[in-house]
Amino acid sequence: MIWQYEKLRTHAQKIMGWVESQQNKVKFGGIRQHANAMWNNMSSGEKLAAGIIALNTIVFAAWRVPALESVMIKYFSSSPVSGASSLSMLLSTFSHYSLLHYAANMYVLWSFSTVMGSVLGKEQMLGFYLSAGVISSFTSYCFKIIKKSARPSIGASGAIIALLGATCITFPNSKLQIAFIGDIIPHSFTADSAMKAILIFDSFGLLFGWKLFDHAAHLGGMLFGIWYMKYGRELIWENREPVMRLWHKLRGKPSQ
C-alpha cells in the first residue's frame, strides 16, 4: 500500500511540476522499439512477473559462482538453523538451484500473473506474493522444528502455490490443464478440483514424510492464498486508508 501511495504522489508531483512536458520523442533503433512495444503490450501483472523472474534469474546465476556459495547457502536457502533464518525466509523465495525447478516455477508465475494482476493490482499482488513467500517459509520452519530437521529449502513454490490458491478460490469453475501435456493428451479440470488435489497431495506428503517437495511450504502457501482472498483482502487491503493517511502526514505535501 505504501508503494501505491508513492506512485500516486509521484504522479501528482509530475502534474504540478510539468504543465507541459515533451511528448512524442522519436526513438531510434529497431530492437529498442520492439522491446518498448512488447513491454507496453504487457498487462500490469505480467510486468510485475517479469521483474520477479528477472530477480530469480540473477539469483539462479549466482548459485553458479563458486565464490558466492557460502553467501547463497546462508541467505538464499531457508532453514531454522541457518545464520540468517529470518532474512532467508524472504530471499529463498527468489532462489532456485535446479533449472527444471526454476523453469517450472517461473512458467506458472507467468501463467497466472495476468489474471491475478487484474484482480489485485500490481501493488497488492506484490505485497501478496512477498507475504506468501515468507509465510510458506515460516510454515516450513515450524514443521522442520517439530521434526528436528535442519534440511534447507529453496524456491518460489510456496509463493506461487499461494497465487494458484488465490486464483482457484476466486475462479473455482475455470478450466485448467497441465502445461505441455494438454497438447499431447487433451484434458481439463476445474480450478476448484486442482486446489483440492494439491491440498490432498501435500497433506499426504507431510503425513508420510515424502521428501520430493517441501510439502509444508506448499500447504502454507496454498492456505494463505485461500485465506487472503476470502478474508485477508478485506481485512487488510480494504482497510489501508488509515495507514496511507498516516504515511501522507509523515511525508508532507508534494513539493512543486
Side-chain angles (χ1 to χ4, degrees), residues 102-113 160-161 163-164 179:
Y102 161 82
N105 278 345
M106 296 305 98
Y107 177 82
V108 176
L109 170 63
W110 183 262
S111 299
F112 289 95
S113 62
I160 289 170
I161 285 183
L163 204 62
L164 175 60

Side-chain angles (χ1 to χ4, degrees), residues 52 56 89-90 92-96 101 105-106 108-109 112 116 120 125-138 154-167 214 216-226:
I52 294 173
N56 277 270
M89 283 197 295
L90 175 62
S92 63
T93 305
F94 299 92
S95 181
H96 299 82
H101 190 197
N105 278 345
M106 296 305 98
V108 176
L109 170 63
F112 289 95
M116 289 314 298
L120 298 176
M125 182 178 166
L126 176 61
F128 171 86
Y129 185 86
L130 296 177
S131 298
V134 172
I135 288 171
S136 61
S137 294
F138 180 74
I154 59 174
S157 301
I160 289 170
I161 285 183
L163 204 62
L164 175 60
T167 304
D214 189 337
H218 287 189
L219 277 174
M222 177 66 79
L223 293 174
F224 173 75
I226 295 170

Side-chain angles (χ1 to χ4, degrees), residues 52-64 72 94 102:
I52 294 173
I53 291 170
L55 289 173
N56 277 270
T57 303
I58 292 170
V59 176
F60 178 76
W63 275 107
R64 270 68 197 162
M72 301 305 293
F94 299 92
Y102 161 82

Side-chain angles (χ1 to χ4, degrees), residues 88 99 105 120-121 143 163 173 181 183 192 206 208 228-229 245 248:
S88 65
L99 177 61
N105 278 345
L120 298 176
F143 183 74
L163 204 62
N173 296 318
I181 295 178
D183 297 330
D192 183 67
L206 209 60
F208 293 107
Y228 187 84
M229 296 308 294
R245 209 182 295 125
H248 175 72

Side-chain angles (χ1 to χ4, degrees), residues 189 191-204 222:
F189 42 84
D192 183 67
S193 298
M195 178 180 67
K196 291 174 180 175
I198 292 172
L199 285 170
I200 293 170
F201 174 76
D202 283 315
S203 295
F204 272 100
M222 177 66 79

Side-chain angles (χ1 to χ4, degrees), residues 73 76-82 85 88-89 92 133-155 206 210-211 213-218:
I73 292 172
F76 289 89
S77 61
S78 64
S79 170
V81 297
S82 71
S85 56
S88 65
M89 283 197 295
S92 63
V134 172
I135 288 171
S136 61
S137 294
F138 180 74
T139 308
S140 176
Y141 277 16
C142 291
F143 183 74
K144 288 173 182 175
I145 291 170
I146 293 171
K147 298 291 290 184
K148 297 180 180 179
S149 171
R151 185 182 181 188
S153 300
I154 59 174
L206 209 60
W210 298 343
K211 299 185 183 302
F213 304 110
D214 189 337
H215 297 284
H218 287 189

